[in-house]
Amino acid sequence: MERSLFKLSREGYDDSYRELFLLGNGHLGYEGSLPDEDGGFHLVGVYDQCGDKWRESLNLFDPLRLRVRFDGREIAFSKARLSWNLDYRRAVLRLRAEWKEGVYFEERFLSSSVDTLLFAKSRFRAKKTGRLSLRFEIEKDPHDINGPHYVSLAASSSPLSLEGTSNEGRKAKVSLKIAGLQGLKPSVSEGTPLADWEGEVKRGEIVFFERAAEALVDDERPMERFISYEDGYWDHVSERKRRFGFFFPKADGESPFLEGLYDSAYRMSVLSDYSRIASIPARGVSGQVYKGAAFWDSEMFMLPYFLLLEPDEARSLLLYRIKTLPGALKKAERFGYQGAFYAWESQEDGVERCSLYNVTDRKTGKGIRTYFADKAIHISADIVKAFSSYYRSTGDSSLFGQGAVDVIAEVFRFYRSYASEKEDGLFHFLDVVGPDEYHERVDDNAFTNYQIAFAFEDVLSDLKAAGLSIDGAFSARGISEREIRDFLSRIYLPKPDERGIIEQFSGFYEREDILPKELAKRLEDPDDYWGKYAAPTRVNKQADVVALLAIYPERFPFEVLKANYEFYLPYTEHGSSLSHVMFGILAALIGKEEEAYGHYLSSARIDLVGGGKRFAGGIKIAGSHPASLSGSFLILFNGFLGARMEGERIAFFPRLPKEIASIRVNYYAKGKRHRASFERK
Ligand code: BGC
């Protein structure tokens, strides 16, 4: 295996490098920006609302701004010959910039051992004798999507720092320490904390300096002493090794496969921070897209990944749902239901942040009424399913006693209040949005109905297996086991028809039989919101019935898995990056390894190639794609390696596509670490 696979190298610069060379430590994200241009420093789990705009996560003041002048003239980084190099395993970025005046080299990382720290080490080697000037700045106006978020700023030159107070009264303070330069002149100019240094440099001379920045929220306490780059670096690297060495499989095969494998492992490794109870936003640590909120992506895509590779993070994702139960109770009340209706877009408090007009018309800029907030009810069952998966994978039942039972009981109450009992004596879920969001307000979406039934069946048997009495667990809410079982047994579950196909929702077959390619011609603008056009047709945004089958393959006959994969694939636009994950898992399970491999590459390489849509109507949706990246590992693990839980262990039934020669994966099962190697025969 080539060592270079653990590195990502690029020359030059374009805007996509901000995402490509994104650093993260679960709590903070730092974009691959040029030192003298607008930065992107992101904070996870702290939100703010400006006026009546969308509430979104806070961005921080970028402390690594640097302007370089030589003999009085600015030398811009955009004019330099640039080389970038990201060390995937260490999560350290190196940037080299060369001008005729000199060569600048910078190495930066976000600490994974102390999650509030950002470090940079730099040197400038003069190619000419002259006067070098350096200006260090803490950027005072971070770029926001729905800002501005800071109503007041307090800048200081000693120590160099900038504190902002948000509209909601939260405080974010970024401070900067610079070491290695004599005669540095700190000051505050027009509210920007800065420090200037100037000196004569001879040809060949090297100027070194280091920066350590700290980002604190509210009453977080600063570090007591300056941590040198070297110390910070080794702490960071050893913590990375301890926690994420595990993430990187050993593999051989064609390069797109290997590139996707390592790139996705890297991007997943910058997301977790289980010292804080927060979920992982749909766009990870890449900023404010999707309001910095968590979706079902966390439970259905990321959680199964973390169960295999970092169970502590999986646990933290679930503790977050326990913590945000009050928000889900409020949401149910707001929409006239009982129990817990979890937010489609969830921030730190679990309050629904998805707007009722969550997409804007590209042409008019007006909001389009969407029904994700009020009708995507499957989110609550997805969470119940996640509690079951956690217990089954780790064997740890402690979450049940720490609030999970309350979540499960309240979610049950929600579905019971949402369901409509019809003449057939069955419970139907009417007027919902399934995973395929282009079809809103449909009745009996197969994914939703089955997910509710299966997730509860599973979790009830888990509670039993964990030695908990169901009546005991639910009696405080006046719910008996008999009542739950009766409800579950009467949920309407659309059965496969004679072809083996499960109708996505009632009336799906009556929709116009047209494929995405033809539908695309009806769009006035390629970035138009497809939902507007797809609703009257069979065109799907993303895997829906296929997601159900990929999550519960053991519950359906092989012929059903195959028939639905083949039926729904042509109708699917893959307008969400989540789609290829579910298609990929199912394709591998039905023996279509080559097709599965295509879905694998689309998922694993999405951030590497800048894939995925950048706009939904007028709303920017670009950024990192953790659900897709974690999902690519699931295509590999559940699909190509055919992993199945059998009792206390995972059994494998591998079928590798020809592009994968060998692979060795690490994983956790029932609290123990394992390793398994496979070779294609
Ligand atoms: C998808 C959702 C997903 C969200 C965040 C949307 O485009 O349709 O399923 O949860 O993006 O990734």
mmCIF file of all heavy atoms in Angstrom, residues 339-354:
data_model
loop_
_atom_site.group_PDB
_atom_site.id
_atom_site.type_symbol
_atom_site.label_atom_id
_atom_site.label_comp_id
_atom_site.label_asym_id
_atom_site.label_seq_id
_atom_site.Cartn_x
_atom_site.Cartn_y
_atom_site.Cartn_z
ATOM 1 N N GLY A 339 -47.196 13.013 23.431
ATOM 2 C CA GLY A 339 -45.905 12.334 23.439
ATOM 3 C C GLY A 339 -44.785 13.127 22.783
ATOM 4 O O GLY A 339 -44.771 14.360 22.833
ATOM 5 N N ALA A 340 -43.847 12.401 22.193
ATOM 6 C CA ALA A 340 -42.610 13.019 21.687
ATOM 7 C C ALA A 340 -42.508 12.935 20.169
ATOM 8 O O ALA A 340 -42.353 11.859 19.607
ATOM 9 C CB ALA A 340 -41.400 12.326 22.314
ATOM 10 N N PHE A 341 -42.583 14.097 19.560
ATOM 11 C CA PHE A 341 -42.421 14.209 18.103
ATOM 12 C C PHE A 341 -41.073 14.921 17.940
ATOM 13 O O PHE A 341 -40.965 16.128 18.160
ATOM 14 C CB PHE A 341 -43.585 15.035 17.553
ATOM 15 C CG PHE A 341 -43.639 15.181 16.057
ATOM 16 C CD1 PHE A 341 -42.729 14.548 15.217
ATOM 17 C CD2 PHE A 341 -44.649 15.959 15.472
ATOM 18 C CE1 PHE A 341 -42.802 14.694 13.831
ATOM 19 C CE2 PHE A 341 -44.737 16.114 14.089
ATOM 20 C CZ PHE A 341 -43.807 15.485 13.278
ATOM 21 N N TYR A 342 -40.054 14.158 17.608
ATOM 22 C CA TYR A 342 -38.710 14.744 17.534
ATOM 23 C C TYR A 342 -38.582 15.701 16.357
ATOM 24 O O TYR A 342 -39.247 15.545 15.330
ATOM 25 C CB TYR A 342 -37.654 13.633 17.463
ATOM 26 C CG TYR A 342 -37.232 13.198 18.850
ATOM 27 C CD1 TYR A 342 -37.900 12.184 19.509
ATOM 28 C CD2 TYR A 342 -36.208 13.860 19.528
ATOM 29 C CE1 TYR A 342 -37.552 11.811 20.801
ATOM 30 C CE2 TYR A 342 -35.849 13.498 20.819
ATOM 31 C CZ TYR A 342 -36.515 12.479 21.444
ATOM 32 O OH TYR A 342 -36.169 12.142 22.718
ATOM 33 N N ALA A 343 -37.694 16.660 16.547
ATOM 34 C CA ALA A 343 -37.497 17.699 15.532
ATOM 35 C C ALA A 343 -36.856 17.126 14.284
ATOM 36 O O ALA A 343 -35.950 16.298 14.371
ATOM 37 C CB ALA A 343 -36.605 18.796 16.104
ATOM 38 N N TRP A 344 -37.309 17.582 13.157
ATOM 39 C CA TRP A 344 -36.654 17.190 11.901
ATOM 40 C C TRP A 344 -35.271 17.830 11.830
ATOM 41 O O TRP A 344 -34.313 17.227 11.408
ATOM 42 C CB TRP A 344 -37.531 17.584 10.699
ATOM 43 C CG TRP A 344 -36.952 17.111 9.417
ATOM 44 C CD1 TRP A 344 -36.531 17.887 8.378
ATOM 45 C CD2 TRP A 344 -36.696 15.750 9.038
ATOM 46 N NE1 TRP A 344 -36.025 17.092 7.378
ATOM 47 C CE2 TRP A 344 -36.117 15.777 7.753
ATOM 48 C CE3 TRP A 344 -36.887 14.522 9.660
ATOM 49 C CZ2 TRP A 344 -35.724 14.618 7.088
ATOM 50 C CZ3 TRP A 344 -36.502 13.365 9.002
ATOM 51 C CH2 TRP A 344 -35.926 13.428 7.725
ATOM 52 N N GLU A 345 -35.205 19.074 12.275
ATOM 53 C CA GLU A 345 -33.906 19.764 12.350
ATOM 54 C C GLU A 345 -33.714 20.175 13.806
ATOM 55 O O GLU A 345 -34.401 21.057 14.299
ATOM 56 C CB GLU A 345 -33.876 20.988 11.438
ATOM 57 C CG GLU A 345 -34.026 20.625 9.975
ATOM 58 C CD GLU A 345 -33.827 21.810 9.037
ATOM 59 O OE1 GLU A 345 -33.329 22.860 9.467
ATOM 60 O OE2 GLU A 345 -34.190 21.666 7.860
ATOM 61 N N SER A 346 -32.798 19.511 14.454
ATOM 62 C CA SER A 346 -32.688 19.643 15.898
ATOM 63 C C SER A 346 -31.406 20.366 16.290
ATOM 64 O O SER A 346 -30.317 20.004 15.834
ATOM 65 C CB SER A 346 -32.715 18.235 16.493
ATOM 66 O OG SER A 346 -32.768 18.291 17.878
ATOM 67 N N GLN A 347 -31.563 21.358 17.158
ATOM 68 C CA GLN A 347 -30.378 22.046 17.682
ATOM 69 C C GLN A 347 -30.185 21.626 19.141
ATOM 70 O O GLN A 347 -30.651 20.565 19.520
ATOM 71 C CB GLN A 347 -30.534 23.555 17.487
ATOM 72 C CG GLN A 347 -30.639 23.901 15.998
ATOM 73 C CD GLN A 347 -30.781 25.381 15.705
ATOM 74 O OE1 GLN A 347 -31.111 26.172 16.579
ATOM 75 N NE2 GLN A 347 -30.555 25.760 14.459
ATOM 76 N N GLU A 348 -29.511 22.432 19.929
ATOM 77 C CA GLU A 348 -29.114 21.949 21.258
ATOM 78 C C GLU A 348 -30.290 21.646 22.179
ATOM 79 O O GLU A 348 -30.174 20.831 23.094
ATOM 80 C CB GLU A 348 -28.138 22.948 21.906
ATOM 81 C CG GLU A 348 -28.744 24.129 22.645
ATOM 82 C CD GLU A 348 -29.401 25.183 21.761
ATOM 83 O OE1 GLU A 348 -29.755 24.898 20.593
ATOM 84 O OE2 GLU A 348 -29.595 26.315 22.255
ATOM 85 N N ASP A 349 -31.451 22.282 21.916
ATOM 86 C CA ASP A 349 -32.578 22.127 22.829
ATOM 87 C C ASP A 349 -33.672 21.220 22.275
ATOM 88 O O ASP A 349 -34.710 21.034 22.922
ATOM 89 C CB ASP A 349 -33.168 23.515 23.125
ATOM 90 C CG ASP A 349 -33.454 24.281 21.838
ATOM 91 O OD1 ASP A 349 -33.330 23.677 20.742
ATOM 92 O OD2 ASP A 349 -33.797 25.471 21.906
ATOM 93 N N GLY A 350 -33.474 20.681 21.077
ATOM 94 C CA GLY A 350 -34.459 19.755 20.512
ATOM 95 C C GLY A 350 -35.722 20.416 19.986
ATOM 96 O O GLY A 350 -36.653 19.731 19.559
ATOM 97 N N VAL A 351 -35.761 21.736 20.012
ATOM 98 C CA VAL A 351 -36.929 22.439 19.463
ATOM 99 C C VAL A 351 -36.891 22.321 17.939
ATOM 100 O O VAL A 351 -35.811 22.303 17.353
ATOM 101 C CB VAL A 351 -36.894 23.932 19.911
ATOM 102 C CG1 VAL A 351 -37.911 24.774 19.177
ATOM 103 C CG2 VAL A 351 -37.093 24.013 21.422
ATOM 104 N N GLU A 352 -38.053 22.205 17.315
ATOM 105 C CA GLU A 352 -38.066 22.083 15.847
ATOM 106 C C GLU A 352 -37.545 23.375 15.206
ATOM 107 O O GLU A 352 -38.086 24.457 15.428
ATOM 108 C CB GLU A 352 -39.493 21.806 15.358
ATOM 109 C CG GLU A 352 -39.620 21.657 13.847
ATOM 110 C CD GLU A 352 -38.762 20.526 13.292
ATOM 111 O OE1 GLU A 352 -39.190 19.361 13.319
ATOM 112 O OE2 GLU A 352 -37.626 20.833 12.843
ATOM 113 N N ARG A 353 -36.487 23.250 14.428
ATOM 114 C CA ARG A 353 -35.928 24.426 13.751
ATOM 115 C C ARG A 353 -36.153 24.381 12.255
ATOM 116 O O ARG A 353 -35.676 25.241 11.509
ATOM 117 C CB ARG A 353 -34.421 24.531 14.029
ATOM 118 C CG ARG A 353 -34.101 24.648 15.505
ATOM 119 C CD ARG A 353 -34.622 25.933 16.099
ATOM 120 N NE ARG A 353 -34.425 25.929 17.550
ATOM 121 C CZ ARG A 353 -34.802 26.915 18.347
ATOM 122 N NH1 ARG A 353 -35.393 27.978 17.856
ATOM 123 N NH2 ARG A 353 -34.597 26.832 19.637
ATOM 124 N N CYS A 354 -36.822 23.350 11.797
ATOM 125 C CA CYS A 354 -37.117 23.283 10.368
ATOM 126 C C CYS A 354 -38.282 24.229 10.123
ATOM 127 O O CYS A 354 -39.307 24.157 10.800
ATOM 128 C CB CYS A 354 -37.483 21.841 10.004
ATOM 129 S SG CYS A 354 -37.844 21.624 8.265
#
